[in-house]
Amino acid sequence: MILVNDVKYHEVHKKTLLSDIEEYKRTHNSRMPKEYMGETHVANNETYSNWVEVKQKRDSNLHMYSGHLLYDFFADKGIQELMGKIGKDMQMDKFTDFDWRLDIAWFQQYYTNAAHHWHNHADCQFTNVYFLELPNEDYKTEIIGLEGELLSYEAKEGQMITFPAYLQHRSKPNGNGRKTIISFNSSYQTG
Amino acid sequence: MQHRLDSFYFTFRLSNHAELKNTLLKQIDESEQTENNKPKADDYYSESITKLDWSWSKDFSRPWTQTLKPFLEKDISNEMSSHGYKESYIQDLWFQQYTTGDTHGWHIHGHTFTGVYYLDLPKGAPNTQIVNPTNQQEIIVPDVGEGDVLMFPSYVIHRAPIIKTNVNKTIISFNSTVNLITAPVLEKLR
C-alpha cells in the first residue's frame, strides 16, 4: 500500500519552504551525522523537543509549536484536506468519524551522493514523504515489502507518498541535483 | 506464515500458554487495577466490556503483566525478526474480559502494530473480526484459537463481536512498534 497524492499549491510551498530551509540551515547546525553519507541537512532533532512539549497541550492535531519551521505548511487547509482525503481513501470513516494526527515532521535535503540508509519509522501508523524538490525521479524514496522485495510506484516532484510506517525504506545515494523532502509520521484515530 | 501487504495479519502461538494460563487468569481476578466499560446513553459506538485495565496499560508493574511480558516479548521478537525487524517493543498492555452480551465496536489503535493474545477463548466465544485494508468490503475472521497471538497494523479496523452464548472470554491486547532492519535482510539488499 503506497498512496501517491498531489500536494495542492506545490509551487507556493516549494518557494516558501526552500527559503525557510535556507534560513534554518544558516542559523542551525543541521548537518546529519557521517553515517548518513554525503552532504545532507536535516532538522528533526531540533524540532523533536518542541514537538513533545506541544503534544502535551493537545490543542490541535498538529502537536507542533507555531514557530516550527513547518508549522504553516501543516496548518495549510490544503494539507489538512489532503490528510483527510487519505484517511477516506483508507475508509477510516467506514464505521465512525475519524481524525488524523501529525506525530513528528522534518525536512531532509540531499546533495550529490547524500543518502539515508534503510530504516522504518517507529511508533506511528504511517510514513509520509512530500517530494519538495525531486529533479530526477530515479532518486525518489525506495521502499521494500516484508520479504525484501522492492515495491514499485511512480511519483514526481510535488507529490506525497504515504505508506505503512513499518515498511523499510531509504534514500539511495543521490545523483546530481539537490533533492529536498518533507517527511512526517501520521496516525489516524476513529470514534 | 505470511506477512505481505496483501496478507496483512499474522498469527503465532504463545510458547508458554499452557503453563501461564491459570496463573494469569488468577492474577487478573485478583487485580486491584480494573475498571468496566459498560454502555452509557451517549456512547458514540457500541462498547460493553465487563472488566479491563486499559487505564493502566503503560504500568508494567501489574502482577499479571510481570508474569506475561517477558514471554510475550520474546515470542514477538522472534516473530518480528522473521519479518526482518531487529527490535520490537510493547508500549501498551491490557486485558479485556467479556461476558454474555459484551462487545467492543469497530476501532483502530495507535502506535504501529495491534496485538491480541487469546488467553481464554472457550467454544462459542467469537473471534476478532478485521477489515481488509486493501478491500474494505471484506471482513475477515482470522483462524485463531486459545493460546494464539494475532497481530496486524494498528490502522486496521477491527472489533470484538457480541458474545451471544453463555461464555466468558479473556484477551490480552497490546500495542507495539518495530525498529531497525536485521542483518540478513540488509545483506540481501546489498
Side-chain angles (χ1 to χ4, degrees):
Chain A
M1 183 197 292
I2 302 175
L3 304 178
V4 182
N5 283 284
D6 292 331
V7 174
K8 213 170 172 181
Y9 310 121
H10 164 65
E11 291 302 330
V12 176
H13 289 310
K14 183 177 177 181
K15 187 178 174 189
T16 306
L17 286 170
L18 287 177
S19 169
D20 291 347
I21 287 169
E22 284 310 306
E23 174 63 15
Y24 187 90
K25 283 158 57 182
R26 198 179 63 76
T27 53
H28 295 73
N29 179 14
S30 56
R31 187 164 297 190
M32 290 179 84
K34 276 182 184 172
E35 57 264 30
Y36 289 94
M37 296 157 49
E39 190 184 356
T40 311
H41 292 273
V42 66
N44 55 350
N45 288 337
E46 182 69 21
T47 58
Y48 185 79
S49 61
N50 291 295
W51 166 68
V52 172
E53 184 185 327
V54 173
K55 185 182 174 192
Q56 292 167 348
K57 293 181 184 171
R58 295 195 175 275
D59 54 354
S60 76
N61 63 349
L62 292 183
H63 298 166
M64 182 183 274
Y65 75 110
S66 59
H68 190 291
L69 174 72
L70 302 172
Y71 183 87
D72 288 345
F73 171 71
F74 284 105
D76 181 77
K77 192 181 169 192
I79 298 301
Q80 293 284 330
E81 286 174 354
L82 176 55
M83 295 310 292
K85 173 192 176 294
I86 291 169
K88 283 188 177 176
D89 286 347
M90 292 186 291
Q91 296 193 27
M92 290 293 171
D93 59 345
K94 187 174 176 73
F95 298 107
T96 64
D97 284 347
F98 73 93
D99 199 1
W100 77 281
R101 183 182 110 160
L102 172 69
D103 289 318
I104 186 170
W106 64 99
F107 78 85
Q108 285 184 216
Q109 199 164 57
Y110 300 85
Y111 289 80
T112 306
N113 289 329
H116 192 167
H117 293 311
W118 291 106
H119 65 287
N120 70 288
H121 293 186
D123 204 17
C124 58
Q125 293 174 350
F126 294 100
T127 298
N128 304 269
V129 179
Y130 167 32
F131 296 109
L132 190 64
E133 272 187 313
L134 186 64
N136 185 340
E137 288 146 25
D138 289 343
Y139 295 97
K140 67 182 187 294
T141 306
E142 288 186 340
I143 307 166
I144 56 167
L146 288 164
E147 294 185 359
E149 76 281 16
L150 195 63
L151 301 178
S152 175
Y153 73 98
E154 290 187 7
K156 60 185 181 185
E157 179 177 303
Q159 292 186 314
M160 185 176 89
I161 57 171
T162 302
F163 54 96
Y166 55 81
L167 290 182
Q168 304 284 356
H169 57 282
R170 73 162 181 171
S171 181
K172 69 180 180 183
N174 196 36
N176 296 324
R178 189 176 69 182
K179 178 173 90 169
T180 305
I181 62 158
I182 305 298
S183 185
F184 62 100
N185 296 342
S186 62
S187 295
Y188 288 92
Q189 48 206 358
T190 58
Chain B
M1 189 180 302
Q2 284 192 322
H3 183 199
R4 295 172 63 89
L5 284 178
D6 52 359
S7 176
F8 56 92
Y9 67 89
F10 55 96
T11 63
F12 57 93
R13 184 147 187 89
L14 189 83
S15 309
N16 299 73
H17 169 69
E19 65 181 88
L20 293 178
K21 181 183 172 182
N22 288 338
T23 304
L24 286 169
L25 286 173
K26 186 169 182 289
Q27 288 178 319
I28 285 171
D29 276 347
E30 293 169 351
S31 179
E32 293 174 1
Q33 294 161 307
T34 65
E35 56 199 328
N36 70 66
N37 215 343
K38 290 296 187 182
K40 303 172 193 72
D42 60 350
D43 260 5
Y44 186 82
Y45 66 110
S46 58
E47 186 170 322
S48 173
I49 304 168
T50 293
K51 190 175 174 184
L52 71 160
D53 61 353
W54 160 251
S55 295
W56 297 268
S57 63
K58 291 187 190 303
D59 174 7
F60 299 132
S61 69
R62 287 165 294 162
W64 74 263
T65 62
Q66 294 213 327
T67 301
L68 175 64
K69 194 163 173 268
F71 295 99
L72 186 58
E73 276 178 332
K74 186 171 168 241
D75 285 356
I76 293 171
S77 175
N78 287 338
E79 181 66 24
M80 287 306 183
S81 177
S82 75
H83 297 305
Y85 295 103
K86 199 172 169 182
E87 297 176 357
S88 57
Y89 308 96
I90 293 175
Q91 289 148 308
D92 301 296
L93 186 61
W94 71 102
F95 74 81
Q96 296 195 174
Q97 279 189 324
Y98 300 87
T99 59
T100 305
D102 278 356
T103 182
H104 191 171
W106 295 109
H107 65 287
I108 58 174
H109 289 203
H111 303 284
T112 308
F113 283 100
T114 297
V116 184
Y117 162 43
Y118 298 91
L119 176 61
D120 187 17
L121 189 69
K123 192 176 175 186
N127 285 349
T128 309
Q129 294 179 334
I130 54 181
V131 178
N132 184 344
T134 59
N135 173 16
Q136 300 261 15
Q137 304 311 309
E138 186 185 9
I139 293 173
I140 296 168
V141 184
D143 183 17
V144 290
E146 183 175 294
D148 287 340
V149 177
L150 168 68
M151 290 184 73
F152 46 85
S154 58
Y155 56 82
V156 170
I157 302 168
H158 62 284
R159 74 169 176 177
I162 190 166
I163 296 187
K164 293 177 178 171
T165 56
N166 188 27
V167 293
N168 299 334
K169 175 172 94 169
T170 303
I171 60 110
I172 307 291
S173 191
F174 57 93
N175 294 330
S176 62
T177 198
V178 290
N179 201 18
L180 302 179
I181 200 163
T182 57
V185 177
L186 264 183
E187 192 57 37
K188 190 177 167 185
L189 291 167
R190 287 190 201 285

